[in-house]
Amino acid sequence: MKTIDELLADGVDGKRVFVRADLNVPLDGGTITDDGRIRAVLPTVKALADAGAKVVVASHLGRPKGAPDPAFSLAPAAARLGELLGRDVAFATDTVGESAQATVAGLTGGQVAVLENLRFNPGETAKDDAERAAFAEQLAALADAYVGDGFGAVHRKHASVFDLPKRLPHYAGYLIATEVGVLKQLTEDVKRPYVVALGGAKVSDKLAVIDQLLGKADRLLIGGGMAYTFLKAKGYEVGISLLQEDQVPVVQEYMERAEKNGVELVLPVDVLVATEFPDLKTKAPATFTTVDADAIPADQEGLDIGPKTRELYASKLADAATVFWNGPMGVFEHPDYAGGTRAVAQALVEADGFTVVGGGDSAAAVRTLGFDENAFGHISTGGGASLEYLEGKTLPGLAALED
């Protein structure tokens, strides 16, 4: 895989360089609530602009239905990119139309432009190869070289991720090079003990990665909504907690495999329960109780791991040489149910080993809860991409860059 350093060494002064970034930031109306993904692409954009390139940044945001939708405009992200760069950033109001063509044509060396949301064009996400290829051809006409730096999208077979790099000299940006390097540390010659903490809502989202980790990790800590399917698999009452009943047999088989393989599978020993889900808008104080994991009332749901589990998980993380964490331990968006996620994050901060926060809600939680990002070994920008890499899947965006 060629890197941006090789492109810079060849010289980019006056060249149009297309940077496929991941500016898919959370928005509250037009306000960005977490600019982590924008900051992650800054080193690549700045290096190209400082070297005199005409930088064309493109990304998706959200899931519009292949047509313009003001709610998913990249205009706020473009404005924030300009603020962080400390320079004006032009904004094209379409992807490959008159505005995009005129905006790119008007760039001089060292200037940066952002195209409108790529998913406003149906060709970006089309299942039909020819339709994707046609859109990629239009994007290719805007550039002389391609830099892939949107790690959060490399697991998607989309036009700007998979088809476009085949049509231009292509290179990996600094972010993707870093992300791949980190993932190799989690899959090749891993330093042990290797501890993985998994949370989030659905156990089905994590089954494939658990399947792989049962042959690689030393310990698996399970939390979040997915934990209740594991507790059910042990025969426990889980009340009205989030449960994927159809996955119980698979989870039981995984628990048996973990024991057979010598992998320590650690489940919650106590949980915070309530009769209703908390109000995440007003964040009004919640009424909850703490019960042992085998004593959840039939009319209540688990919303966070309890204090004994927090101490247990912290102790299981303390001696880790390598840690991968993906998924919150509870409904961290509400302060009354953020304690479990905070405890895991704090345990990573205090661990002496190499700690990786696996993107998505985990990365959002770290920022929401006020942790210093530099206290972790690495915070990924792509939760889904990280998991699929650990599952052993071929990621289309990385395959295209390696070609």
Side-chain angles (χ1 to χ4, degrees), residues 58-112:
S59 176
H60 71 285
L61 191 151
R63 296 184 178 180
K65 303 185 184 299
D69 183 338
F72 297 104
S73 175
L74 274 174
R80 181 58 179 153
L81 178 63
E83 291 172 1
L84 292 169
L85 285 171
R87 66 179 84 197
D88 291 336
V89 169
F91 183 66
T93 56
D94 57 25
T95 57
V96 291
E98 291 182 5
S99 179
Q101 294 173 34
T103 299
V104 174
L107 293 176
T108 58
Q111 292 187 326
V112 180

Side-chain angles (χ1 to χ4, degrees), residues 383-399:
S386 295
L387 287 176
E388 290 199 14
Y389 189 101
L390 294 179
E391 289 168 20
K393 290 184 177 179
T394 297
L395 307 187
L398 296 184

